[in-house]
Amino acid sequence: MITSSVFAGKGYAVLGLARSGAAAAEALLASGAEVIAWDRQDVARAPFEGRCRLIDPLELDLSGFSGVVVSPGVPLNTHPIGPHTWHYGLPVIGDIELFACARADLPPHRVVGITGTNGKSTTTALVHHILTQAGVPSVMGGNIGDPILAQEPLPEGGVYVLELSSFQVDLTFTLDCDIAALTNITPDHLDRYADFETYAASKERLFQMQASGTALICDEDAPTQAIADRISAQGKPLVRVKTADLAAAGLADGRSPALAGPHNAQNAAIAVAICRQFGLSEEQIAQGLATYPGLPHRMERVCDAKGVTYINDSKATNAASAAPALAAFPPDPAINNGAPRIHWICGGLPKEDGLGACADHLGNVAAAYTVGEAGPMFADLLVGAVQVERCELISEAVRRAVAAARTGDVVLLSPACASYDQFRDYEKRGTHFRQMVGAMTGCDTGPDGRSILP
């Protein structure tokens, strides 16, 4: 794990002992800090029994502490831990801020921070993949993979590639990224922010923490353009990226199938620009693009059965992230006389009203199978535009889609909604979809429904 002498002898309270919280508590204990820890779940507290005091920090006088560490999932706009902590003049921080504080004790390294509404997971994983393939020591963490504090420190010259949600940026104050990258900004998480402008400002804070690093921004929407213009006006190092840069460099056609679709062209363009900043050659970058295996639940090809392709895009939890998946499979004159070929499974816990950008791609949809709490809303919006099957459950949607799909069609789970109405998280939802596909098509998708395709 990553530890630091900067924490020795200091007091921290850790609220929430899931993955990032547990890693933070372990790193602080190993660094010689005094730790108070709490989680409502007995099973989460159990590993810390007898190793630190287990007390809810809301019940404590926090005088003398150095800070309170919380999970990014804690809503600071409503949770009492914020006011309670601020009453003592202390910061509410996350594990990324602890990593930032620990950097001085690590071998010389560089840090890439990648934020944005959509595409940041794929961009982070792709940068990590290209660097690793090129022989550069690298790990990825933050909002993806293992918590960064739970990973082994990199040797000299290593690169930490961090995916950073707005919630994580909110809990971070001193992370000076060598490269801070922004993919795009569209409305999301408005239950946590006063308005869209406040949400966009949370993304911009990643650049405000930079002392001398480079800002790398795909400025293809108004909010990212505004941020790039402000950084430029301040005279700070700035690289502007466009999706078209990928084709201009001759790298668009050699991409892995896991990078299909216009949204992944944007992700790839940003990753290429980041890797160029590290001095990688065009050949090294092209090889990384060609061999990228993709991430689970993000345009993941589950199987091909009887000429039908099944795609798990459960990570698409809003309309802006589902729309590119719909755009990725337009009608093909060589397939079914150019008829629409997507069987779209959509719905869940709605984040917004309406179809958003998905409405622009309904000409690619043969039928929509609506599920979950948002199912009736989606069905009402889609009736008259596409064939609608009201299903409620993903299992029923898969059953009907398997029966209806023809050779050359695509059965696509891209819900445009959160999962919490029926599943713990989007991973559980995606795994359930894979299992249902395996059960109903006879494809071998592995013991947990995970695709075994190359």
Side-chain angles (χ1 to χ4, degrees):
M1 72 181 74
I2 291 174
T3 60
S4 173
S5 59
V6 73
F7 305 127
K10 296 181 179 179
Y12 292 89
V14 179
L15 178 62
L17 296 172
R19 294 170 67 252
S20 65
E26 293 286 4
L28 288 169
L29 287 169
S31 299
E34 178 186 350
V35 176
I36 300 292
W38 185 251
D39 192 288
R40 290 179 297 176
Q41 302 294 324
D42 293 347
V43 66
R45 297 196 305 267
F48 297 94
E49 291 281 356
R51 302 173 59 209
C52 64
R53 288 196 291 161
L54 296 173
I55 308 171
D56 188 339
L58 287 170
E59 300 175 2
L60 286 177
D61 181 330
L62 297 173
S63 300
F65 280 73
S66 294
V68 175
V69 183
V70 302
S71 159
V74 173
L76 292 185
N77 60 326
T78 58
H79 199 285
I81 192 60
H84 181 68
T85 304
W86 299 324
H87 172 75
Y88 294 93
L90 299 176
V92 181
I93 61 176
D95 64 320
I96 302 300
E97 176 62 15
L98 294 178
F99 169 75
C101 294
R103 290 184 64 187
D105 283 349
L106 297 174
H109 63 276
R110 288 173 288 184
V111 171
V112 180
I114 300 169
T115 193
T117 304
N118 298 307
K120 55 186 180 291
S121 294
T122 294
T123 304
T124 299
L126 181 56
V127 169
H128 170 61
H129 174 77
I130 295 172
L131 290 172
T132 302
Q133 289 291 301
V136 178
S138 172
V139 297
M140 64 178 178
N143 201 43
I144 189 172
D146 295 328
I148 192 63
L149 294 175
Q151 303 196 44
E152 289 300 310
L154 290 170
E156 183 173 347
V159 179
Y160 295 88
V161 187
L162 304 179
E163 177 194 342
L164 300 172
S165 69
S166 58
F167 303 156
Q168 289 170 310
V169 176
D170 291 342
L171 299 170
T172 306
F173 302 93
T174 64
L175 181 66
D176 181 7
C177 294
D178 297 274
I179 300 175
L182 177 61
T183 59
N184 49 64
I185 303 179
T186 57
D188 201 9
H189 301 304
L190 297 185
D191 58 328
R192 291 275 294 260
Y193 295 95
D195 49 36
F196 176 65
E197 289 71 25
T198 307
Y199 168 66
S202 74
K203 302 290 188 185
E204 189 171 0
R205 284 194 59 252
L206 182 63
F207 304 99
Q208 295 169 347
M209 287 187 277
Q210 285 186 291
S212 58
T214 297
L216 194 149
I217 298 177
C218 185
D219 60 343
E220 295 185 312
D221 55 60
T224 58
Q225 290 170 7
I227 292 172
D229 290 345
R230 284 192 288 271
I231 292 172
S232 178
Q234 295 165 2
K236 295 182 178 180
L238 170 67
V239 174
R240 295 177 184 260
V241 179
K242 304 288 188 187
T243 301
D245 296 344
L246 195 69
L251 296 170
D253 294 335
R255 287 180 287 162
S256 156
L259 293 171
H263 62 312
N264 277 323
Q266 183 183 75
N267 299 335
I270 299 165
V272 167
I274 292 171
C275 291
R276 283 177 178 154
Q277 291 292 309
F278 289 123
L280 268 61
S281 69
E282 295 299 292
E283 181 180 356
Q284 289 173 314
I285 292 171
Q287 181 182 17
L289 290 174
T291 58
Y292 175 66
L295 287 170
H297 313 296
R298 296 163 180 85
M299 292 294 285
E300 176 190 22
R301 187 165 63 102
V302 174
C303 74
D304 293 295
K306 297 181 179 179
V308 177
T309 300
Y310 294 82
I311 302 289
N312 169 24
D313 193 38
S314 181
K315 181 62 168 65
T317 59
N318 58 42
S321 55
L326 297 178
F329 303 101
D332 185 336
I335 300 174
N336 297 327
N337 297 316
R341 58 197 184 106
I342 298 176
H343 295 260
W344 180 28
I345 301 175
C346 56
L349 185 67
K351 288 185 174 182
E352 56 204 305
D353 296 328
L355 297 172
C358 293
D360 297 333
H361 307 291
L362 296 182
N364 299 347
V365 177
Y369 305 78
T370 60
V371 300
E373 183 177 313
M377 177 189 75
F378 273 71
D380 291 344
L381 291 168
L382 291 167
V383 164
V386 301
Q387 177 184 336
V388 173
E389 299 283 340
R390 299 173 186 260
C391 299
E392 187 176 354
L393 299 177
I394 285 178
S395 57
E396 177 63 14
V398 172
R399 186 188 68 78
R400 295 192 198 181
V402 168
R406 298 181 292 174
T407 297
D409 284 356
V410 176
V411 175
L412 171 69
L413 171 69
S414 192
C417 290
S419 61
Y420 307 125
D421 58 334
Q422 295 181 345
F423 299 93
R424 186 181 69 191
D425 50 38
Y426 73 83
E427 290 100 335
K428 288 291 186 184
R429 177 171 63 187
T431 297
H432 178 70
F433 171 75
R434 291 191 305 231
Q435 290 171 335
M436 293 301 98
V437 169
M440 295 181 193
T441 65
C443 288
D444 184 0
T445 54
D448 65 346
R450 178 66 199 276
S451 172
I452 60 172
L453 291 176

